[in-house]
């Protein structure tokens, strides 16, 4: 089937789109958008892939669900649209960024500029019903995003995978740790941020690794 995803990813994932689970997932998502309020906007479902073409990918950050509040989700995990108040987890990510790199606060919670530099901001589930977290889990998205992670692990080298929290870490079991760097810690949620997220220095560690492999660092 013809999926509206960046051509570089369509080429790599074409085998996935005709599998029975993906066809069922497509029908489910279409019906949800027709009958409920669903985030992100339909045009942004695969935005993480559009902002970060396969050939430019350097870093993968794995989230869980899109934000389920009005005007928050923009297709990139942990990111919100311009002008939207920062959710608690993103506030904590920015605090760790400041502590890690000594950089001043960012003006917005829109992380598109990370994605444009080769950071795949990948939610495990790419859609969600408004005000209903987890509502699109176990419908097929997790199978698809596992395929994405395995593709990156198999076909690329020296990618940094940043896994925050147990959910992302469980998704990461398919990553080849001989070829890639995995940085994992507690989740930036207020419930776990003091259990190892603060002080984990994911941004400087990522850049140190990339530079050690002759790859341009990320301007966080």
């Amino acid at each position: 089937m013809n999926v509206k995803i960046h051509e570089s990813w369509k080429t790599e994932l074409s085998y996935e789109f005709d599998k029975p689970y993906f066809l069922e997932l497509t029908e489910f998502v279409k019906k949800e958008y027709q009958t409920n309020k669903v985030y992100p906007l339909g045009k942004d479902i695969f935005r993480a892939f559009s902002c970060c073409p396969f050939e430019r990918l350097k870093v993968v950050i794995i989230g869980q669900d899109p934000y389920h509040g009005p005007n928050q989700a923009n297709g990139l995990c942990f990111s919100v649209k311009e002008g939207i108040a920062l959710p608690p987890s993103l506030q904590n990510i920015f605090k760790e960024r400041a502590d890690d790199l000594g950089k001043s606060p960012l003006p917005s919670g829109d992380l598109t500029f990370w994605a444009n530099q080769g950071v795949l901001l990948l939610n495990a589930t790419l859609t969600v019903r408004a005000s209903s977290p987890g509502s699109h889990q176990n419908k097929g998205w997790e199978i698809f995003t596992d395929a994405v992670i395995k593709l990156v692990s198999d076909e690329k080298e020296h990618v940094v995978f940043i896994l925050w929290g147990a959910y992302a870490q469980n998704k990461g079991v398919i990553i080849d740790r001989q070829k890639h760097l995995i940085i994992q810690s507690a989740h930036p949620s207020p419930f776990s941020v003091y259990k190892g997220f603060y002080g984990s220095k994911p941004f400087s560690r990522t850049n140190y690794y990339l530079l050690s492999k002759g790859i341009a660092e990320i301007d966080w």
Side-chain angles (χ1 to χ4, degrees):
M1 64 180 300
N2 184 29
V3 176
K4 293 180 179 179
I5 193 171
H6 191 274
E7 284 300 322
S8 66
W9 288 97
K10 182 178 286 189
T11 300
E12 299 291 341
L13 290 166
S14 58
Y15 62 89
E16 204 69 24
F17 299 136
D18 290 321
K19 290 183 177 179
Y21 89 86
F22 196 88
L23 300 176
E24 292 175 12
L25 170 64
T26 300
E27 290 306 309
F28 167 77
V29 170
K30 283 181 179 177
K31 186 174 181 181
E32 282 288 286
Y33 273 91
Q34 290 167 358
T35 58
N36 295 286
K37 184 69 175 177
V38 177
Y39 299 120
L41 296 174
K43 67 181 180 62
D44 290 334
I45 292 175
F46 294 106
R47 185 164 176 263
F49 302 90
S50 300
C51 294
C52 180
F54 184 76
E55 64 273 6
R56 291 174 53 196
L57 185 148
K58 303 176 185 179
V59 180
V60 179
I61 299 178
I62 299 175
Q64 193 165 352
D65 268 5
Y67 294 120
H68 55 86
N71 299 313
Q72 289 182 305
N74 67 357
L76 309 176
C77 74
F78 294 106
S79 176
V80 291
K81 293 182 179 180
E82 187 85 26
I84 298 299
L86 302 185
S89 289
L90 187 55
Q91 291 181 36
N92 293 332
I93 290 169
F94 281 5
K95 183 178 185 304
E96 177 61 20
R97 170 190 172 274
D99 292 345
D100 184 8
L101 302 175
K103 289 195 170 188
S104 57
L106 292 166
S108 159
D110 184 352
L111 303 180
T112 300
F113 77 105
W114 287 5
N116 289 340
Q117 296 177 74
V119 181
L120 180 65
L121 294 161
L122 179 67
N123 274 313
T125 304
L126 299 188
T127 55
V128 69
R129 196 180 299 170
S131 304
S132 186
S135 51
H136 287 188
Q137 291 178 6
N138 302 314
K139 301 297 184 182
W141 278 130
E142 295 91 343
I143 301 172
F144 172 71
T145 50
D146 276 352
V148 171
I149 293 166
K150 188 174 189 307
L151 170 70
V152 174
S153 177
D154 290 350
E155 299 298 324
K156 297 187 78 71
E157 290 186 335
H158 310 318
V159 172
V160 181
F161 289 84
I162 299 177
L163 310 179
W164 290 326
Y167 186 88
Q169 289 159 25
N170 288 336
K171 292 277 286 184
V173 297
I174 54 179
I175 300 167
D176 184 344
R177 294 169 184 251
Q178 302 301 313
K179 295 169 59 181
H180 308 288
L181 175 66
I182 294 179
I183 297 174
Q184 60 186 49
S185 73
H187 195 276
S189 158
F191 300 107
S192 57
V193 71
Y194 288 103
K195 297 178 180 177
F197 177 77
Y198 283 154
S200 60
K201 300 187 180 299
F203 307 105
S204 61
R205 290 166 65 192
T206 293
N207 282 351
Y208 180 84
Y209 176 81
L210 292 175
L211 288 172
S212 76
K213 303 299 181 183
I215 301 169
E217 64 183 0
I218 305 296
D219 178 8
W220 300 105

